[in-house]
Amino acid sequence: MNAPGSRLHLAVLLLLCASAARATPTYPGVTRDQLNLPKSPSCALCHRGTPALGNATRPVAESLLDFGLVPYQETTLRTAWDQVELTRVDSDGDSIPDVEELQTGTDPNRDPSAPPEPPEPAYGCDSTGTSPLLIAAGWLLLALGRHRRRGASTPI
């Protein structure tokens, strides 16, 4: 495991595993059950773009985070929804509480009387669904291949 190539393979493996980190997959179902919704909400309820850790930045997500939501901890989601419901949080400011909007099938992130939001741009890594870490790993492998072809013996 001390060979430079072995360390490189380990680094690439870690990058690839890290790129698989996504949003908490159970949260839509937990939300459905917690709020007695007819179906699970879309991941877009909380996430912008492809669901991933760190992009739960929509107003409802920010409200849930304010009440202690932690990724991969369902109890914190249940507690946060209880608080959102109890305090009648209205993330979009349209005077209809978030939970009520979800139960009636409207979007608690957007006031229906507001002008429509422009679509999110579809360019860069996100337009292909490819993780930026996966792309970085590809560039790293390409650079290492060039480094080895030059006959360099110093590990990177």
Side-chain angles (χ1 to χ4, degrees), residues 4-5 17 19 41 48-49 51 54 64 66 68 75 81 89 93 98 114 156:
C17 291
S19 72
R48 294 185 191 276
L64 291 167
D66 287 345
T75 56
W81 275 125
V89 170
D98 291 354
I156 294 179

Side-chain angles (χ1 to χ4, degrees), residues 2-26:
N2 290 332
S6 297
R7 283 182 277 177
L8 169 67
H9 290 117
L10 179 61
V12 170
L13 179 63
L14 290 173
L15 278 172
L16 292 173
C17 291
S19 72
R22 297 281 182 231
T24 308
T26 58

Side-chain angles (χ1 to χ4, degrees), residues 38-149:
K39 64 179 186 170
S40 297
S42 161
C43 294
L45 174 66
C46 293
H47 294 272
R48 294 185 191 276
T50 304
L53 291 174
N55 74 349
T57 57
R58 301 209 43 176
V60 167
E62 290 174 359
S63 296
L64 291 167
L65 290 165
D66 287 345
F67 285 112
L69 174 67
V70 175
Y72 295 99
Q73 293 185 16
E74 291 179 10
T75 56
T76 66
L77 177 63
R78 289 185 185 96
T79 301
W81 275 125
D82 284 343
Q83 292 302 308
V84 165
E85 187 169 26
L86 180 69
T87 58
R88 300 182 56 78
V89 170
D90 176 21
S91 297
D92 61 6
D94 65 358
S95 23
I96 304 169
D98 291 354
V99 171
E100 188 177 317
E101 284 199 70
L102 286 168
Q103 291 170 335
T104 60
T106 58
D107 184 357
N109 288 304
R110 193 178 155 312
D111 180 346
S113 65
E117 293 179 3
E120 292 189 32
Y123 56 84
C125 299
D126 208 32
S127 66
T128 63
T130 304
S131 163
L133 286 174
L134 189 57
I135 291 170
W139 280 107
L140 179 62
L141 287 173
L142 181 64
L144 280 169
R146 288 183 179 161
H147 181 74
R148 286 184 180 214
R149 277 196 295 271

